[in-house]
Amino acid sequence: MTYETIFAGFGGQGILFSGKVVAYAGMLEGLNVSHLPSYGPEMRGGTANCSVIVSDEPVASPLITEPTALVVMNGPSLDKFEKAVVPGGKIFIDSTLISRKCERDDVDVYTIPATQMALDMGIAKLANMIIVGKLIKETNMFTWEQLEGAITKLVPASKAAMLESNIKALRAGYEY
Amino acid sequence: MGDKVLMKGNEALAEAAIRAGCRHFFGYPITPQTEVSAYMAKKMPKIGGTFLQAESEVSAINMVYGAGGAGVRVMTSSSSPGISLKQEGISYIAGADVPCVIVNIVRGGPGLGGIQPAQSDYFQATKGGGHGDYHLVVLAPSSIQEMVDLTSDAFDIGDKYRCPVMIMGDGMLGQMMEPVEFKDTDASSLPEKEWATSGTGMKRKKNVINSLFIEASELEDLVLERQKRYDEICKNEVRYEAVDVEDADIVLVAYGTTSRIAKTAMAKAKEKGYKVGIIRPITLWPFPFEAFEKALSKNTDKTFLAVEMSMGQMVEDVRLAVNGRANVEFFGRTGGIVPTPKEILAKIEEIGGAK
């Protein structure tokens, strides 16, 4: 099984970190993974995206042109990547920040008000983890335990409060 | 042997250099390789090494010349326009037989070009770049793990043959993260650096590091002696991967990032019934001519398709290797555009005809 996910949004939303959590979880499970961030001129325009592949086979091209899943946290990202998703793929939309509907009818669309949820929970900067929780749940890429294990290893042990918030955010998305 | 860690190519390369015993790094920031410098800046002071951000790439390469001449393991890193600035120094280093490692995380060119991945520095890396009769050993990894492994090899090759070695990646390899494992390395079999200007301690004659030889016969002798070492490199250090090449109708030839994309295209073409193989040069110089002999050993009724992120540079070496015995085609994207598996597949279908 090969999961090819594009994460996209504004700089500062933790887009690259979202991808890193998924890649890291895959690595811990002994799978082949790659994480390719955008670093081009579009980043100067405030948007960020990354391509994350998790596969039981060696990762050939790290560049994703036909994602099996798309996570978008702003309107321009939905515009940019919506058409690229494979038929039958999954699109995850932060509905707090994206008002329009997805125009595809051959993919599964999950809308989640991640940014509003994060604000309500008092963890405004962790909307990204809420949406990652939803992604993992709906794609079955990992179990909850595997996801929790990955974030626990990724957040330094010295930052216990930060870890707790991240787990809370992932859980909120996972159960949404 | 350790656990796998998820690391960015640029950072993994820097860590691998440190583990290979590099304690001196001179650089100047440029996208997409700045993380090499940043990592060195953070780590070197903690392990008693030297990190120095020079005032320009020209200074950095001359600092490398000096440190390498003193016999220590030294590295510099840059991207295409910065590597152009270093060429004079590289030629001097080659002319003075000083080992060092030079990293080029290639971006689109010419000129300042762009900052996206490219392979358009192939000519510069393999055919000179600087002036004079010299070669760089050029290593082209295609994954972060290979980048790490080749970094250690680069220092060993440099020390063994007394020559500068280039690691050539591209923006994608520099920026992407993959799991890597750092293996224990052992440089104990390498020769002592008796030539180094590391101080005589009043016990030996002084050593001189120099690339100026006014007497023509003296210079010729030195160039000839160096050529013998290049011949040894060609005999001992050629590296490549060759998959399904003997029975293929179409043999893809690609290195670095492009080889990974070509492999995706190859798998898709095989599903459609095309007989496709791939040659992936790991050393760009010395170029793996023997891989082509292997591919041509059963029959010559085949097409070699060079795929590059350039307008066609390595394809010239492919033509030399094939030497008129088989058909050679080219597909490339440039300017920082990365080819897609679909585009390569379309080219395979164009060559192979409808199935």
Side-chain angles (χ1 to χ4, degrees):
Chain A
M1 190 69 194
T2 299
Y3 298 94
E4 303 196 14
T5 310
I6 291 180
F7 300 82
F10 290 120
Q13 283 179 317
I15 295 294
L16 301 189
F17 187 74
S18 300
K20 192 173 177 182
V21 171
V22 172
Y24 201 80
M27 182 182 76
L28 291 180
E29 292 312 308
L31 296 166
N32 298 295
V33 302
S34 67
H35 175 288
L36 178 69
S38 58
Y39 67 94
E42 71 271 23
M43 288 193 72
R44 275 66 178 172
T47 66
N49 72 72
C50 65
S51 297
V52 175
I53 300 179
V54 175
S55 180
D56 48 14
E57 287 171 42
V59 176
S61 169
L63 188 71
I64 300 176
T65 49
E66 296 170 329
T68 59
L70 171 66
V71 172
V72 281
M73 294 186 71
N74 68 4
S77 296
L78 181 60
D79 298 344
K80 185 174 179 186
F81 294 112
E82 181 180 3
K83 289 190 181 72
V85 178
V86 292
K90 294 175 164 52
I91 300 183
F92 297 83
I93 295 173
D94 184 339
S95 54
T96 311
L97 301 174
I98 303 170
S99 48
R100 83 163 172 90
K101 296 258 179 299
C102 176
E103 283 164 6
R104 296 276 299 269
D105 55 11
D106 58 344
V107 295
D108 297 323
V109 178
Y110 303 89
T111 54
I112 176 167
T115 296
Q116 189 58 51
M117 287 166 72
L119 284 168
D120 294 345
M121 290 162 71
I123 45 172
K125 284 185 175 169
L126 293 176
N128 62 335
M129 288 299 104
I130 294 177
I131 209 160
V132 166
K134 183 72 179 164
L135 166 80
I136 298 306
K137 174 71 182 291
E138 300 299 339
T139 56
N140 285 317
M141 212 184 300
F142 308 112
T143 64
W144 168 254
E145 287 70 25
Q146 289 169 338
L147 184 59
E148 194 179 22
I151 196 73
T152 306
K153 280 215 161 183
L154 207 48
V155 177
S158 58
K159 295 182 176 168
M162 193 198 275
L163 174 62
E164 197 186 320
S165 305
N166 273 276
I167 291 175
K168 206 168 117 187
L170 287 169
R171 189 84 217 173
Y174 195 82
E175 287 174 349
Y176 181 78
Chain B
M1 290 284 178
D3 282 341
K4 281 194 172 178
V5 286
L6 190 64
M7 272 180 108
K8 206 172 218 209
N10 284 333
E11 294 177 345
L13 190 155
E15 176 64 28
I18 289 171
R19 287 177 187 243
C22 174
R23 289 293 177 276
H24 304 270
F25 179 90
F26 306 98
Y28 190 82
I30 182 171
T31 306
Q33 66 74 51
T34 299
E35 294 85 359
V36 180
S37 273
Y39 194 90
M40 291 300 198
K42 208 160 60 183
K43 281 287 172 83
M44 281 301 194
K46 290 183 187 156
I47 53 172
T50 307
F51 165 82
L52 205 151
Q53 181 174 319
E55 68 272 31
S56 74
E57 287 86 348
V58 178
S59 302
I61 193 68
N62 282 291
M63 291 172 184
V64 168
Y65 183 14
V72 298
R73 285 196 158 183
V74 58
M75 184 166 96
T76 186
S77 170
S78 192
S79 180
S80 310
I83 296 291
S84 290
L85 282 167
K86 290 180 196 288
Q87 291 302 330
E88 179 194 55
I90 292 172
S91 172
Y92 281 38
I93 288 169
D97 298 312
V98 168
C100 67
V101 174
I102 301 149
V103 179
N104 185 2
I105 303 297
V106 182
R107 62 189 241 180
L112 279 172
I115 60 175
Q116 299 292 338
Q119 297 180 316
S120 41
D121 297 356
Y122 182 93
F123 283 154
Q124 186 196 51
T126 63
K127 311 287 177 192
H131 58 280
D133 266 325
Y134 81 95
H135 289 286
L136 294 176
V137 176
V138 184
L139 306 173
S142 71
S143 68
I144 310 303
Q145 183 65 57
E146 193 171 45
M147 214 164 183
V148 162
D149 297 343
L150 288 179
T151 299
S152 159
D153 292 353
F155 281 102
D156 289 353
I157 291 169
D159 283 350
K160 186 170 175 193
Y161 301 98
R162 285 187 69 183
C163 63
V165 178
M166 177 173 277
I167 299 170
M168 197 155 103
D170 60 66
M172 191 180 281
L173 281 170
Q175 295 294 322
M176 74 186 285
M177 284 196 282
E178 281 186 316
V180 288
E181 192 178 337
F182 292 94
K183 294 158 192 160
D184 293 331
T185 56
D186 176 22
S188 61
S189 63
L190 293 167
E192 286 290 315
K193 294 179 178 176
E194 286 162 358
W195 48 265
T197 52
S198 50
T200 62
M202 305 292 191
K203 286 182 187 122
R204 61 163 168 80
K205 255 179 68 185
K206 70 175 181 182
N207 287 331
V208 176
I209 303 281
N210 174 38
S211 73
L212 177 66
F213 301 96
I214 297 293
E215 188 64 52
S217 64
E218 188 188 2
L219 180 55
E220 188 187 43
D221 285 347
L222 284 166
V223 173
L224 290 173
E225 185 278 325
R226 188 172 306 117
Q227 186 60 43
K228 280 186 193 154
R229 277 181 279 138
Y230 289 149
D231 292 344
E232 283 296 302
I233 292 171
C234 292
K235 213 160 61 188
N236 302 332
E237 304 298 343
V238 172
R239 287 152 213 226
Y240 62 91
E241 181 188 356
V243 183
D244 297 339
V245 292
E246 285 99 335
D247 295 316
D249 295 327
I250 299 168
V251 179
L252 304 174
V253 188
Y255 67 94
T257 289
T258 311
S259 69
R260 299 171 64 135
I261 300 161
K263 279 181 184 173
T264 306
M266 178 169 91
K268 289 187 177 169
K270 281 185 168 175
E271 281 170 21
K272 291 194 168 195
Y274 295 96
K275 286 163 79 178
V276 183
I278 186 167
I279 293 172
R280 177 173 75 88
I282 298 171
T283 48
L284 302 183
W285 194 90
F287 193 70
F289 290 103
E290 65 184 60
F292 292 81
E293 296 309 318
K294 196 173 163 191
L296 291 166
S297 59
K298 274 196 188 168
N299 67 74
T300 57
D301 185 20
K302 53 183 71 186
T303 294
F304 290 83
L305 171 59
V307 185
E308 301 176 57
M309 289 191 283
S310 78
M311 288 308 291
Q313 300 195 9
M314 179 190 64
V315 66
E316 295 196 358
D317 281 332
V318 174
R319 289 204 186 95
L320 279 175
V322 170
N323 201 11
R325 289 173 289 177
N327 186 33
V328 176
E329 298 273 347
F330 171 74
F331 177 76
R333 296 296 305 264
T334 190
I337 300 290
V338 178
T340 63
K342 224 180 221 174
E343 290 170 334
I344 300 171
L345 181 61
K347 186 73 186 177
I348 291 170
E349 286 171 337
E350 183 193 315
I351 294 166
K355 289 266 177 202

